[in-house]
Amino acid sequence: MYRGSDLGDLIAGYGPNYHVCLMYVICVACLLSFQGADFTDQSGYEAILQRLQDGRHMCKDVEELLKMRALAEEKYGRDLVAIARKAEGQTEIGTLKASFDKLKAEIEKTGNLHIQLSERIKEEVQKIEAFREHQREQRKKLEEIIEKLQKPKMLLHKKTMESKRLHEQRCKEAEEAEQAVGKKTNVTTSTHRQSEKVMNRARLCRQAANLAEKQYKWNVDQLKKMCQDWESTYRSACEVFQQQESERINILRCVLWDHCNLLSMQCVQDDDCCEEVRMILEQCDIITDNNCFIKMKKTACRPPAPIEFQSYSDMDANGGVRSVETKRLSVMLPGMSFSGYPEAASNSAGSDTSAQQTGGGPEKYMVIYDFKAQEDDELSVSKGQVVTITEKGEDGWWRAWRDGISGLVPGTYLTKISPQSHSTRLAAAHPDHNPIK
């Protein structure tokens, strides 16, 4: 064993194997530092087990810390993503809108980065959990081996101590018996029979003492072998425990170091996102945004004309300027003028234009000019089509139905057809159709 100043000489003698030597010396120091005060004292071994148990609790504490940090990062990231998606800013225009949109995008990006950070922290937690379980299984096997050696060692130690007491007792009895023989030989009055009885007793006591001594020596030898096995096993266990403790400290140190590096990287990424927003804000220009608003929302370049005097004779009953036709009569027949209708039109609707409702129910009319709807309530029709009229307006626009679709059409574009002519047209179009059936 190396102690004191010899430790430096031992390390120097190993040369390149300095670290191997150092671990060996540390293991020897661990073994020498946790020996029991006596053979039955297990306080050193219990102290090592307590240290390993405390190390296991420390691993759990680090896991719990990282788990809570991962949950906080995940919640923070999801909150940032929700904030970025809820923010609107759709009423803004120009470069300020671009800056605001960039800010929302970078906030969402930052949130996603924090969510990714939480996932990486969870991976570190899983590594610690796997490492802790591996050490627990390894330590459990060693503890079982040591427990198996402890029980027979303690039993053999107890047996040896009992054989020692028995040996001492037998030796004491043999000495007393031999002293009694000496006293009897000095007394002349003792009979031969008494002397022989005392001598036999002394001889038996000596034989018993010899047997006890032999048993005591055998137990001591067995105990020495057991102690050698125990010391070898204990040394191996201390080496494993020392290695476990070194690995635990190293991996926890590395995990905490990596955790700080992850947080530093996240801070740099957060600052990069802010820098991206600042670069866009540098391009935000007040004049450009004002010009953009003028270009998008301008109405007229000149003020409205002044109000002019209008004669009462030029105004209609509603207070407006008299006009020859209403708004809907702006749709004229081909070749029609405001002075009158063409001859074809005079033969079509006739006096029906002044009626509001068809007297005998829906009537069939044929389209004589193509008409394309210009308003949502109008119906497009083509020349030659047959429509059903359900209402005739005073303004010349009639309610027509065709193929299940209703809409307004100008009455001047239609001509009434009789039921006989309609049947004739239907038969011509469909020879197989029999209107009587």
Side-chain angles (χ1 to χ4, degrees), residues 1-15:
M1 299 296 177
Y2 288 85
R3 299 170 182 244
S5 60
D6 295 337
L7 179 61
D9 298 336
L10 176 64
I11 295 175
Y14 271 83

Side-chain angles (χ1 to χ4, degrees), residues 348-418:
S348 60
S351 61
D352 292 335
T353 57
S354 61
Q356 294 184 354
Q357 297 288 339
T358 58
E363 298 176 344
K364 298 294 183 179
Y365 282 76
M366 185 178 67
V367 181
I368 58 177
Y369 299 104
D370 294 335
F371 172 74
K372 185 176 182 181
Q374 299 179 357
E375 301 292 340
D376 295 336
D377 58 346
E378 296 176 357
L379 178 66
S380 297
V381 292
S382 301
K383 181 179 179 180
Q385 292 181 342
V386 177
V387 296
T388 302
I389 301 300
T390 59
E391 180 181 353
K392 298 179 180 179
E394 294 181 355
D395 57 355
W397 291 85
W398 296 357
R399 175 70 61 181
W401 286 80
R402 181 179 60 81
D403 298 333
I405 302 175
S406 173
L408 296 176
V409 297
T412 55
Y413 280 52
L414 308 176
T415 181
K416 188 174 181 180
I417 59 176
S418 61

Side-chain angles (χ1 to χ4, degrees), residues 124-140:
E124 296 296 327
V125 173
Q126 293 176 357
K127 291 180 181 179
I128 298 178
E129 290 178 349
F131 170 78
R132 177 170 53 82
E133 291 300 320
H134 173 70
Q135 281 203 337
R136 186 182 68 84
E137 295 294 333
Q138 191 177 18
R139 184 173 63 252
K140 184 178 179 181

Side-chain angles (χ1 to χ4, degrees), residues 201-221:
R201 184 175 180 276
R203 185 176 66 254
L204 291 175
C205 288
R206 177 53 60 185
Q207 290 177 355
N210 291 335
L211 289 175
E213 181 180 2
K214 184 178 181 180
Q215 182 65 34
Y216 176 48
K217 288 183 178 179
W218 187 85
N219 288 338
V220 170
D221 292 338

Side-chain angles (χ1 to χ4, degrees), residues 227-370:
C227 287
Q228 291 176 356
D229 294 340
W230 162 257
E231 183 177 355
S232 176
T233 304
Y234 187 52
R235 182 188 297 272
S236 300
C238 286
E239 291 176 357
V240 176
F241 292 156
Q242 178 70 26
Q243 183 67 24
Q244 282 190 342
E245 187 66 9
S246 300
E247 292 177 355
R248 183 188 68 83
I249 295 174
N250 181 59
I251 192 171
L252 290 182
R253 181 187 64 177
C254 293
V255 166
L256 297 178
W257 193 293
D258 293 340
H259 181 69
C260 293
N261 289 340
L262 289 175
L263 298 182
S264 298
M265 292 174 59
Q266 184 61 45
C267 292
V268 173
Q269 291 175 343
D270 291 347
D271 186 68
D272 290 341
C273 293
C274 294
E275 183 63 25
E276 291 291 333
V277 178
R278 286 191 288 266
M279 293 176 62
I280 297 298
L281 286 172
E282 290 177 354
Q283 302 175 8
C284 181
D285 185 69
I286 300 174
I287 298 177
T288 302
D289 284 5
N290 287 335
N291 292 336
C292 180
F293 168 73
I294 295 173
K295 182 178 180 180
M296 294 176 59
K297 301 296 182 178
K298 67 179 181 179
T299 55
C301 298
R302 297 180 180 180
I307 299 176
E308 298 179 357
F309 173 78
Q310 294 180 353
S311 175
Y312 178 77
S313 60
D314 296 336
M315 300 177 64
D316 57 11
N318 296 327
V321 180
R322 296 180 183 272
S323 59
V324 179
E325 299 292 341
T326 62
K327 180 180 177 181
R328 290 212 179 261
L329 290 180
S330 60
V331 180
M332 295 298 167
L333 292 173
M336 174 186 276
S337 64
F338 286 107
S339 60
Y341 295 98
E343 184 177 356
S346 62
N347 296 330
S348 60
S351 61
D352 292 335
T353 57
S354 61
Q356 294 184 354
Q357 297 288 339
T358 58
E363 298 176 344
K364 298 294 183 179
Y365 282 76
M366 185 178 67
V367 181
I368 58 177
Y369 299 104
D370 294 335

